[in-house]
């Protein structure tokens, strides 16, 4: 195994404050008052899909524009890097692994997050979706990542906290590790076929020690 694909939200960073604040900004902009109390389920799936449920298919583009307006100015900074992640990434680099980000988040935002939180130095590649919604599906994103890097699926593993990471990796015959400190439950990850589960950053580091 030579290449590790990492999810971003719920795996490397806790994005809850920024995402939820931007969701509320979008609702306010659209004049929507009937808002679900718990929006944490929106962390992980492609944002387009979540807004289709929340505001209806006809208003998705409007909601995305409002969300991204605040996210680009404030939301992407309202995140917290999980404890131990910078040291883990640095250690994996020293051990010779190639690290790739694989997130459904728009790539231009993901790049800025990695830079702002001083994580960009650890990644050889950063793969994310485009503003038009392309590559937001994890299976397509990982297929793209394999093609760009030239890495064989047999030499790669996907590390993430949601079923989308596990399903997308399995569609490309990539091994999977589910982390349980994010926003997917143990049950969700197991049902999605996670090859292995880890409960802490230290446990994850131990797999590659």
């Amino acid at each position: 195994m030579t290449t590790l694909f990492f999810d971003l939200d719920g795996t490397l960073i806790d994005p809850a404050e920024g995402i939820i604040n931007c969701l509320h900004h979008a609702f306010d902009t659209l004049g929507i008052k009937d808002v679900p109390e718990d929006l944490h389920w929106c962390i992980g799936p492609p944002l387009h899909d979540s807004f289709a449920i929340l505001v209806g298919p006809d208003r998705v583009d409007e909601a995305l524009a409002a969300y991204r307006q605040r996210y680009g100015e404030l939301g992407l900074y309202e995140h917290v890097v999980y404890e131990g992640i910078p040291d883990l990434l640095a250690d994996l680099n020293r051990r010779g692994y190639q690290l790739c980000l694989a997130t459904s988040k728009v790539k231009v935002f993901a790049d800025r997050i990695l830079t702002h939180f001083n994580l960009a130095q650890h990644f050889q590649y950063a793969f994310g979706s485009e503003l038009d919604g392309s590559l937001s599906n994890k299976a397509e994103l990982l297929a793209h990542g394999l093609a760009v890097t030239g890495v064989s699926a047999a030499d790669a593993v996907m590390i993430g906290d949601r079923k989308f990471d596990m399903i997308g990796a399995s569609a490309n015959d990539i091994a999977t590790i589910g982390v349980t400190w994010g926003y997917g439950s143990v049950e969700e990850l197991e049902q999605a076929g996670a090859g292995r589960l880890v409960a802490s950053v230290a446990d994850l580091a131990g797999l590659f020690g």
Side-chain angles (χ1 to χ4, degrees):
M1 189 173 296
T2 62
T3 300
L4 312 181
F5 288 95
F6 278 90
D7 175 48
L8 181 60
D9 292 349
T11 301
L12 301 179
I13 63 172
D14 184 350
E17 181 181 357
I19 287 177
I20 290 174
N21 285 345
C22 292
L23 287 171
H24 282 290
H25 175 74
F27 296 141
D28 290 344
T29 301
L30 271 62
I32 295 174
K33 304 299 182 183
D34 186 16
V35 177
E37 183 175 343
D38 183 11
L39 292 168
H40 285 82
W41 62 270
C42 297
I43 300 173
L47 191 58
H48 183 283
D49 296 349
S50 297
F51 271 133
I53 296 170
L54 290 166
V55 304
D58 293 341
R59 305 197 74 185
V60 167
D61 289 345
E62 188 181 357
L64 281 172
Y67 177 98
R68 288 170 175 166
Q69 180 269 322
R70 187 189 186 280
Y71 194 82
E73 294 177 1
L74 294 172
L76 63 85
Y77 304 117
E78 297 171 329
H79 298 330
V80 177
V81 178
Y82 288 116
E83 185 175 356
I85 286 295
D87 288 341
L88 168 67
L89 299 178
D91 185 58
L92 291 172
N93 281 158
R94 285 192 295 269
R95 293 178 182 276
Y97 290 101
Q98 176 173 245
L99 306 188
C100 303
L101 189 74
T103 176
S104 294
K105 189 184 297 296
V106 174
K107 185 180 184 324
V108 292
F109 291 148
D111 287 339
R112 289 173 61 188
I113 289 169
L114 290 181
T115 299
H116 178 76
F117 290 101
N118 200 31
L119 299 177
Q121 61 187 307
H122 302 301
F123 289 91
Q124 284 71 56
Y125 295 92
F127 300 110
S129 65
E130 300 298 331
L131 288 168
D132 64 2
S134 60
L135 297 180
S136 61
N137 177 279
K138 253 324 170 24
E140 295 176 359
L141 181 70
L142 287 170
H144 173 68
L146 291 176
V148 170
T149 61
V151 172
S152 166
D155 294 327
V157 63
M158 177 69 212
I159 302 165
D161 70 310
R162 297 299 308 273
K163 64 182 180 182
F164 312 98
D165 303 308
M166 307 299 110
I167 294 170
S170 296
N172 288 281
D173 297 320
I174 297 173
T176 54
I177 298 173
V179 304
T180 63
W181 59 77
Y183 288 89
S185 66
V186 169
E187 180 181 18
E188 174 185 321
L189 291 166
E190 288 180 339
Q191 289 181 351
R196 186 172 299 208
L197 297 180
V198 292
S200 69
V201 175
D203 289 344
L204 180 57
L207 294 182
F208 301 99

